[in-house]
Amino acid sequence: MIGNDIVDLKYSAVNWKRPRFLAKVFTKEEQTLIFSSENKHQTVWLLWSMKEAAYKIHVQQFGERFFNPKRLVCELISEDRGLVRIDDNSYFTTSTVTEDYIHTIATLSASNTNMSSIFKSEISSHHIQSNVLKTALLTSISTTKQLPFQDLKIKKTSIGVPELFCDDSKLPLSFSLTHCGRFSGFVYQ
């Protein structure tokens, strides 16, 4: 299983400096990490993207949606590697940080190979961005897995987890979609 999240650093919709936001989303240890960081803005969104990417795997794994960001506990192992714990489950993260965005991929083990792509779009419509992203994913899968593009479909489960189908057969391929502001991305195994 795999999850990913991207944060557009220039268009992040949430003002993390507003009263009580950090206390609602981050543990005491994570808040200490943020406040001791040279770039607090970047650290907030790095931890957020780690939580979001790990959450996507957890929902796939257990079929349970919840909103309790502090239940997801982040640990930075290095500048680009981390670990997120949700209860007794651990998810390994790899993040790419640029001046424009932070992209995090979460996996069940520290050594997974995957295919990912990040692209920029000036389209502001959420619906159009979503369709462009899905088309990009299906095009990539069609090419790498040698499957007919027109036979590939994405369908969501009852709890909103996207799954891939070829004709009407569910494929055993884990993937994750994300978009925020000007950036979109996907990852699959």
Side-chain angles (χ1 to χ4, degrees), residues 9-158:
L9 292 172
K10 299 205 187 320
Y11 294 97
S12 44
V14 177
N15 176 7
W16 64 268
K17 293 180 181 178
R18 74 175 191 246
R20 297 183 302 282
F21 174 77
L22 293 179
K24 288 180 183 178
V25 175
F26 299 105
T27 66
K28 294 279 187 212
E29 293 80 12
E30 292 166 344
Q31 291 176 59
T32 298
L33 188 62
I34 291 164
F35 289 122
S36 66
S37 170
E38 285 184 30
N39 189 334
K40 293 169 185 49
H41 181 73
Q42 181 178 295
T43 303
V44 165
W45 296 116
L46 172 62
L47 296 175
W48 176 271
S49 71
M50 289 169 62
K51 287 177 185 254
E52 286 289 318
Y55 176 78
K56 289 178 180 181
I57 295 179
H58 192 78
V59 171
Q60 291 173 49
Q61 211 175 1
F62 297 103
E64 169 204 7
R65 289 196 170 277
F66 62 89
F67 182 76
N68 181 357
K70 289 168 74 170
R71 185 173 160 197
L72 295 87
V73 179
C74 295
E75 177 185 333
L76 292 177
I77 297 168
S78 69
E79 234 178 69
D80 65 340
R81 302 246 180 222
L83 186 67
V84 179
R85 289 185 180 84
I86 305 174
D87 305 326
D88 294 329
N89 304 289
S90 295
Y91 304 98
F92 298 88
T93 65
T94 304
S95 300
T96 302
V97 179
T98 74
E99 68 179 39
D100 292 320
Y101 65 82
I102 295 173
H103 178 240
T104 299
I105 297 171
T107 55
L108 293 173
S109 74
S111 60
N112 275 329
T113 57
N114 55 64
M115 176 69 166
S116 67
S117 178
I118 301 297
F119 54 94
K120 186 175 180 181
S121 171
E122 297 299 335
I123 299 168
S124 60
S125 164
H126 178 80
H127 180 71
I128 293 173
Q129 276 185 344
S130 180
N131 287 337
V132 169
L133 175 57
K134 289 174 187 172
T135 300
L137 170 72
L138 295 177
T139 299
S140 179
I141 290 172
S142 173
T143 301
T144 60
K145 304 294 183 183
Q146 299 181 339
L147 296 168
F149 175 84
Q150 67 276 8
D151 294 343
L152 297 175
K153 302 274 185 286
I154 297 171
K155 298 178 187 177
K156 288 189 177 182
T157 66
S158 61

